[in-house]
Amino acid sequence: MRTDVSPNVLDELREIAGDSHVLTADEDLLTYGFDGTWYDQRPLAVVLPANTAEVSAIHKLATRERLAITPRALGSGLSGGAVPLSGSLILSIVRMNAILEIDETNHVAVVQPGVINADLQSAVEARGLFYPPDPSSYKQSAIGGNVAENAGGARCLKYGVTSNYVQALEIVLPDGAVFRTGGKMVKNVTGYDLRALFTGSEGTLGTITEITLRLIPKPKFSRTAMATFAKIDDAARTVTAVMAAGLIPTSIELLDNLTMQCLEEFSPAGLPLEADAILLFAVDGDHEAALDAESAEIERIARANGAGEIRVAHSQADSDRLWAARRVIAPALARKRPHRLGEDISIPRSAIPEMIARVRTIAARNNVIIPVFGHAGDGNLHPNILCDRRDAEEMKRVREAAREIFETAVDLGGTLSGEHGIGLLKKQFMEMDVGPEALRVMRAIKNALDPLGIMNPGKIFPDPGGVDAFTLPGVTS
């Protein structure tokens, strides 16, 4: 693989995408060299194509020149998937940002990959339709990135993650060939499920240039409530009890005391700081009486498992205030310490109490601060290790704590990621999680589709050394 780009190749890229859409200035390369993690690397150049034909031409050029390509949407990812490794071109799809069609008969939306999630939600809801996946970054993350990482969000407890809504994809393969898989039809079991293969592939198999997404009717009514708990264990048990009762809320979000403290310091929302934890519940549907009954049953179960105060949002404004607090956790945590390492483990719901207990033990053993929050209803927790990256000794403890959390999640029958992907952050744990044979199959797929290894190299697959080679940016020993 080449590690430089010649003036002639840059000229060819300009012929493909236009002079103003090939960036080589230092300030531009710096901007496209990082995401929401601590990883950063300057690409060789950034190219911003306008359509599928230009993406295909860029792929063909990269194949001919043996240049690596890192497809990138808006760079809000939390696993390092959009960070170019040394010697890569950034292929940014931000100019491909059109909603091509909202088909109200077939309940699908056809979009280009640069469409922002929130813009799509607004557009379809104006027509009485609903696109459920709602990552916390939904106001700044693009659908293409959501598909590449198989993003989730709070509503995924009831409605599922991005892959549950991908009905068709247009993909540019590494050699520039373009193919489509899926369509507007509801049922499609013809051949291998290539939509599933490319969804969550993190740009390692090709570049996604068009997406057809399933939509559903927008629920007419919703309810939000907050339950407080003196012990976080009681909150965790409430989650499992609610789900065991056969209820399917839209969301069940858990916030521990430390998370609430940070939120109240950042943007006061009246959260109960005397509580060890809270649960935010949301339910939605088309029949108010059914929602009232479901809400009452959740309240009964919560109280039976130790809930104290239960606040019900009596207006949309009250509900919006509670969910707004949930969505600003990331900047709120930054007030506690200069940096944070966000994790994304997914475990069986039955293991939530044990996982929370072990995270607290890990925090104490390594003398680090780890607030815990997340989508407790589907077992997707986000322990965040707060730290100061300028403190080399502390960072070694952060690395050890991160490793222990990943290992604990797998030990409890869980997995490394519920919605952020693997990228650079978790790749050293892949064999521990999926096993050697599954990893071998994944490598075989990668090698078959990308024999030159030009698509987003260095992601997902572990470097030699496995778990013992795990480290974090700037931590050298």
Side-chain angles (χ1 to χ4, degrees), residues 183 275 286 372:
D286 292 338
V372 177

Side-chain angles (χ1 to χ4, degrees), residues 6 30 52 58 84 103 140 144 159-160 172 190 196 199 205 232 253 294 345-346 360 376 391 393 398 406 433 444:
S6 69
L30 179 67
T52 300
I58 294 165
D103 184 335
Q140 67 263 18
Y159 293 108
V172 179
T190 304
T199 301
L205 302 178
I232 196 170
E253 297 289 299
E294 188 174 0
I345 54 174
S346 181
R360 290 189 163 184
D391 185 334
E393 191 278 331
V398 169
F406 289 139
D433 187 332

Side-chain angles (χ1 to χ4, degrees), residues 33 36 79 98 118 157 172 191 229-230 246 260 286 320 338 395 442:
S79 62
L157 170 59
V172 179
F229 294 86
M260 287 191 288
D286 292 338
D320 291 345
M395 291 309 301
M442 292 183 193

Side-chain angles (χ1 to χ4, degrees), residues 328-346:
V328 297
I329 287 177
L333 295 181
R335 293 176 66 90
K336 194 74 174 177
R337 298 299 306 279
H339 305 105
R340 66 183 181 92
L341 180 67
E343 298 195 4
D344 171 40
I345 54 174
S346 181

Side-chain angles (χ1 to χ4, degrees), residues 16-284:
I16 293 169
D19 284 350
S20 62
H21 300 126
V22 177
L23 310 178
T24 57
D26 286 345
E27 59 270 26
D28 291 324
L29 301 186
L30 179 67
T31 302
Y32 284 87
F34 63 90
D35 65 357
T37 64
W38 297 344
Y39 297 95
D40 67 90
Q41 188 72 249
R42 291 194 183 196
L44 293 176
V46 178
V47 56
L48 300 96
N51 53 51
T52 300
E54 291 182 4
V55 173
S56 173
I58 294 165
H59 277 222
K60 290 176 181 175
L61 177 60
T63 295
R64 188 194 76 198
E65 297 294 323
R66 304 297 193 263
L67 284 169
I69 297 172
T70 296
R72 179 182 174 97
L74 294 181
S76 61
L78 295 171
S79 62
V83 176
L85 292 192
S86 179
S88 289
L89 292 174
I90 283 286
L91 192 161
S92 170
I93 50 75
V94 295
R95 293 177 65 208
M96 302 171 67
N97 59 0
I99 298 175
L100 302 173
E101 180 184 12
I102 297 175
D103 184 335
E104 297 178 53
T105 301
N106 291 304
H107 283 190
V108 298
V110 183
V111 305
Q112 291 184 311
V115 171
I116 292 176
N117 183 302
D119 292 343
L120 175 64
Q121 292 193 28
S122 297
V124 302
E125 288 181 20
R127 302 191 188 196
L129 296 171
F130 190 45
Y131 177 66
D134 61 337
S136 294
S137 61
Y138 77 116
K139 290 185 178 179
Q140 67 263 18
S141 65
I143 295 296
N146 293 171
V147 173
E149 301 296 329
N150 202 1
R155 297 193 295 232
C156 294
L157 170 59
K158 180 176 182 178
Y159 293 108
V161 297
T162 299
S163 58
N164 299 111
Y165 295 86
V166 176
Q167 281 200 196
L169 293 172
E170 178 185 78
I171 296 161
V172 179
L173 292 170
D175 63 2
V178 180
F179 83 101
R180 304 179 73 93
T181 178
K184 292 184 176 180
M185 68 293 282
V186 174
K187 299 176 75 174
N188 181 353
V189 297
T190 304
Y192 295 146
D193 188 349
L194 298 180
R195 291 162 294 160
L197 175 62
F198 280 84
T199 301
S201 62
E202 304 190 23
T204 61
L205 302 178
T207 299
I208 296 168
T209 51
E210 187 180 293
I211 304 150
T212 300
L213 295 166
R214 180 170 69 92
L215 306 174
I216 62 176
K218 180 175 170 54
K220 295 177 181 176
F221 305 103
S222 62
R223 299 281 189 277
T224 297
M226 177 181 72
T228 66
F229 294 86
K231 298 178 182 177
I232 196 170
D233 290 352
D234 291 341
R237 278 192 289 273
T238 296
V239 173
T240 55
V242 166
M243 302 306 296
L247 301 170
I248 306 178
T250 313
S251 313
I252 306 178
E253 297 289 299
L254 180 143
L255 284 69
D256 74 355
N257 180 269
L258 185 53
T259 302
M260 287 191 288
Q261 289 183 40
C262 294
L263 283 169
E264 285 298 305
E265 292 171 7
F266 179 72
S267 179
L271 299 177
L273 297 184
E274 72 281 4
D276 192 26
I278 62 170
L279 291 176
L280 289 177
F281 292 97
V283 295
D284 64 8

Side-chain angles (χ1 to χ4, degrees), residues 319-388:
S319 176
D320 291 345
R321 188 160 42 249
L322 289 172
W323 289 108
R326 168 62 183 87
R327 292 190 185 281
V328 297
I329 287 177
L333 295 181
R335 293 176 66 90
K336 194 74 174 177
R337 298 299 306 279
H339 305 105
R340 66 183 181 92
L341 180 67
E343 298 195 4
D344 171 40
I345 54 174
S346 181
I347 53 175
R349 284 189 289 263
S350 58
I352 292 175
E354 178 66 16
M355 187 73 222
I356 291 174
R358 292 205 200 180
V359 168
R360 290 189 163 184
T361 299
I362 291 169
R365 180 164 56 242
N366 292 286
N367 189 27
V368 292
I369 302 172
I370 310 180
V372 177
F373 60 94
H375 318 303
D378 49 27
N380 184 193
L381 298 179
H382 298 309
N384 272 234
I385 307 174
L386 308 186
C387 56
D388 185 341

